Amino acid sequence: MQEKLFEKISVIFSYNSEKNVAIPYKIRWQLRDYFIKKLGYHHKVREGRELFHIFHVTDGNLDFKLRFNTENLSWILEEISDGQPD
Amino acid sequence: MDSPINKAAPTIMHIDLNSCFATIEQQAHPHLRGKPLVIAAYPTPGGCILAPSIEAKKMGIKTGMKVREAQIICPNVIVRSPDPVLVRDVHKQFMKICGDYSPDITPKSIDEVVINFSQAPELKKGLKSIGIEIKKRFREEIGEWISCNVGISTNRFLAKLAASLHKPDGLDIIDYQNLKNVYSTLKLTDLNGINVRFEARLNQVGIYNPLEFLKTDDIFLRKQVFKGITGHYWFLRLRGWEVDDFENKRKSYGQDYALAKKTDNIEELKKIIMKLCEKMGRRLRASNNCAFGMHLGLVYNDWIFWHKGHKFMEPSYTTQELFSKIMILFFQQPNKKIVSKIAVSCFELKPVFDIPPSLFETNIEKKRKISLALDKVNDRYGEYVIFPALMMDMKNTILDRIAFGKI
């Protein structure tokens, strides 16, 4: 099932300088912590002058689509899905 | 007659991402991997399938089917809407990687690219090893789920054919040594550009398979089969000579929209037409063109199609100008009926700088400059920051789409 959301969430982000890998480490959504295990895809998108980083990540149970606003440094959870038919 | 098959070493590579939209969605969403997935224009039962995943294809689900048909074949099929922003980003990366090997690269669509190595120093490495390297780089730099087919040959037609031989994740070379063997395993409709109607035309003159097509001489193809120069192009194309190395000049811009809520309410329809004109106008202005011809097509609730095109004396450039011309056509409908689909397009394009200023209408220049300024504001601060008042409440209507065969 796929659910479109647009909720502000808390994120701990990690950057590994040796591997040059940047990925959300943990997200807190609805008072629950989700540890990110894998990055599916990362890309950037411009909406006018604002630059957003979109992270498609998974904690092993759910896939999350996260949007990082580089203008105000906020995180939005845009979508969750579990890979099952709706 | 002995066929003059091109015996040169292959220099053309055709790369085709496998099940592009679906594979990219699976890359971004690891839980979708290995499952039957379809990307549909709309996730409703009547939505048209744009791309089935490799797993869905194996079950018999095909592009163009309705979602409900796919659900009959596989009740557990996962249905998703396309994510054009994600797909365009993958396309950019895909092009960037290909650009590392030759300066002469031509995107044929969002998921296909042709690389011409004839002037590239990389050719020394051998096209097969470059193909293998590109596949590896796609997996490492775009994502491990991304696979592609690589076809190598002496012309674009055969390179594309080679890329279709072993799907998914194949790499094939067609040259003068194996050309006949490849043709002997294929049907006429496996050739790019031969559909069932062309096949019927070939069958009428006794050509039933690609090998017979290859053996047919030039004059017969020109005079008896295609009745024109097209026959000669086919004669050359089949033998590995390049005839498709050209770019089509854009002749029109268009937008269409299938209404979620069918209606005959003029105010509702005007809003949609305005938004279509705004999207079309943005593209028209970005190309520095204006249009003299306008076309409107409407599909009604009873599946009747009505359309009207007209060439106007004055060019259209601003969204308002496009909208007012389309509305002139709209009011020429013979009957007022419930509309289910609207298509607008503009044609007869001319560079806007070549149009002399009007003697009678003095405000045209000002309006055009304002229109360009509005486009700049939207480019800078985000799409639809400023928009015509008629488009109020329309932000999520008429979604961004990637057209077939375009980027």
Side-chain angles (χ1 to χ4, degrees):
Chain A
M1 207 187 79
Q2 181 188 38
E3 198 176 341
K4 302 266 184 194
L5 307 158
F6 209 78
E7 293 180 24
K8 275 195 165 185
I9 52 158
S10 303
V11 176
I12 297 176
F13 193 82
S14 84
Y15 172 65
N16 183 329
S17 65
E18 286 157 19
K19 293 180 184 168
N20 198 26
V21 173
I23 183 173
Y25 169 73
K26 186 173 94 170
I27 63 174
R28 172 166 287 180
W29 174 54
Q30 294 189 346
L31 301 176
R32 236 187 105 178
D33 290 343
Y34 298 85
F35 289 87
I36 302 305
K37 287 191 177 154
K38 191 178 171 63
L39 174 70
Y41 196 76
H42 161 242
H43 65 101
K44 289 172 269 186
V45 57
R46 275 192 189 277
E47 285 182 11
R49 212 169 41 174
E50 290 188 3
L51 174 69
F52 297 92
H53 284 258
I54 311 291
F55 292 90
H56 293 267
V57 293
T58 181
D59 74 333
N61 294 314
L62 289 171
D63 295 340
F64 303 92
K65 182 179 177 184
L66 311 173
R67 169 185 282 243
F68 178 59
N69 184 337
T70 58
E71 193 80 3
N72 60 18
L73 307 183
S74 65
W75 287 86
I76 299 284
L77 175 58
E78 283 202 342
E79 181 190 305
I80 57 163
S81 64
D82 60 3
Q84 297 302 317
D86 294 335
Chain B
M1 178 184 149
D2 193 21
S3 316
I5 291 171
N6 188 350
K7 291 188 176 173
T11 54
I12 304 291
M13 183 182 285
H14 182 104
I15 302 178
D16 182 353
L17 287 186
N18 297 135
S19 304
C20 174
F21 285 75
T23 309
I24 293 170
E25 200 67 21
Q26 287 176 319
Q27 174 59 44
H29 300 90
H31 279 94
L32 298 177
R33 296 180 190 177
K35 294 179 183 171
L37 163 76
V38 294
I39 306 298
Y42 299 96
T44 48
C48 176
I49 294 173
L50 306 173
S53 66
I54 292 163
E55 299 79 8
K57 278 181 183 168
K58 282 179 187 164
M59 293 173 150
I61 297 170
K62 290 180 180 159
T63 303
M65 278 183 170
K66 301 275 183 201
V67 167
R68 74 169 74 85
E69 293 173 272
Q71 284 168 331
I72 291 168
I73 295 170
C74 173
N76 287 329
V77 69
I78 302 163
V79 185
R80 292 280 184 268
S81 302
D83 185 340
V85 178
L86 174 67
V87 176
R88 284 199 189 101
D89 190 81
V90 170
H91 173 79
K92 266 195 251 167
Q93 292 212 51
F94 168 47
M95 291 297 293
K96 190 170 160 274
I97 293 171
C98 294
D100 287 346
Y101 296 89
S102 169
D104 188 354
I105 58 170
T106 314
K108 303 304 282 183
S109 67
I110 196 83
D111 61 345
E112 286 180 314
V113 67
V114 172
I115 314 178
N116 182 356
F117 286 89
S118 57
Q119 305 294 323
E122 295 283 325
L123 187 61
K124 284 184 287 185
K125 282 164 89 176
L127 290 197
K128 192 175 177 185
S129 60
I130 292 174
I132 293 166
E133 192 177 308
I134 288 176
K135 277 166 168 283
K136 190 167 163 259
R137 285 188 63 188
F138 281 180
R139 289 212 161 88
E140 286 171 0
E141 295 173 35
I142 305 178
E144 72 271 27
W145 201 256
I146 303 292
S147 64
C148 66
N149 267 55
V150 176
I152 297 164
S153 193
T154 51
N155 68 357
R156 282 160 172 72
F157 168 76
L158 289 180
K160 186 174 168 76
L161 183 66
S164 68
L165 293 179
H166 296 101
K167 284 197 168 183
D169 209 15
L171 189 156
D172 288 273
I173 301 170
I174 299 179
D175 60 11
Y176 71 97
Q177 288 169 315
N178 67 349
L179 181 69
K180 287 181 182 171
N181 282 344
V182 170
Y183 281 154
S184 67
T185 60
L186 300 173
K187 301 193 296 283
L188 282 169
T189 48
D190 291 330
L191 305 180
N192 182 40
I194 302 290
N195 58 18
V196 283
R197 284 163 65 189
F198 254 128
E199 185 188 33
R201 191 193 283 193
L202 293 168
N203 290 168
Q204 274 181 349
V205 292
I207 300 170
Y208 292 95
N209 57 54
L211 213 48
E212 288 173 353
F213 198 7
L214 178 74
K215 283 175 186 164
T216 311
D217 72 54
D218 189 11
I219 294 167
F220 188 77
L221 284 177
R222 261 193 283 177
K223 299 214 166 153
Q224 300 292 317
V225 188
F226 293 95
K227 297 185 172 61
I229 192 72
T230 315
H232 180 60
Y233 292 152
W234 271 107
F235 179 82
L236 295 173
R237 197 178 275 136
L238 288 165
R239 287 157 178 79
W241 300 101
E242 189 60 273
V243 287
D244 300 306
D245 184 14
F246 61 86
E247 265 187 63
N248 285 319
K249 199 179 161 207
R250 183 177 272 281
K251 290 179 182 158
S252 66
Y253 287 93
Q255 298 285 148
D256 62 49
Y257 179 62
L259 279 72
K261 199 178 145 199
K262 295 166 190 173
T263 181
D264 59 353
N265 182 321
I266 180 86
E267 293 308 316
E268 289 297 316
L269 294 171
K270 268 165 99 173
K271 280 185 181 184
I272 294 167
I273 291 172
M274 176 56 94
K275 184 150 186 185
L276 291 171
C277 289
E278 168 70 1
K279 291 184 84 160
M280 177 169 75
R282 293 268 277 142
R283 292 163 62 212
L284 178 73
R285 291 188 290 275
S287 70
N288 287 324
N289 279 308
C290 55
F292 283 85
M294 302 296 295
H295 183 269
L296 171 69
L298 298 171
V299 179
Y300 299 110
N301 204 21
D302 54 8
W303 295 103
I304 296 220
F305 176 60
W306 174 86
H307 69 110
K308 180 98 186 166
H310 188 73
K311 279 190 208 169
F312 292 88
M313 295 293 284
E314 329 73 55
S316 299
Y317 182 73
T318 67
T319 298
Q320 282 301 334
E321 286 167 346
L322 295 166
F323 176 73
S324 59
K325 305 269 172 55
I326 290 287
M327 289 313 289
I328 291 171
L329 302 178
F330 182 86
F331 288 117
Q332 291 180 24
Q333 288 175 82
N335 301 304
K336 190 185 168 202
K337 293 204 268 186
I338 294 172
V339 176
S340 62
K341 190 176 175 186
I342 303 175
V344 299
S345 60
C346 58
F347 57 96
E348 200 75 16
L349 307 178
K350 292 270 157 60
V352 70
F353 309 112
D354 292 356
I355 306 298
S358 168
L359 281 174
F360 308 105
E361 175 64 86
T362 50
N363 277 332
I364 283 183
E365 274 304 300
K366 275 186 194 167
K367 284 178 188 166
R368 286 183 184 163
K369 282 182 179 162
I370 291 171
S371 207
L372 271 181
L374 295 181
D375 286 350
K376 277 188 184 165
V377 170
N378 283 328
D379 286 341
R380 184 160 184 179
Y381 294 100
E383 207 60 59
Y384 308 125
V385 167
I386 296 184
F387 52 83
L390 252 180
M391 273 169 53
M392 294 281 261
D393 310 324
M394 295 283 292
K395 189 156 187 182
N396 292 321
T397 315
I398 313 179
L399 304 170
D400 182 19
R401 298 285 191 215
I402 295 171
F404 280 107
K406 291 180 189 160
I407 301 152

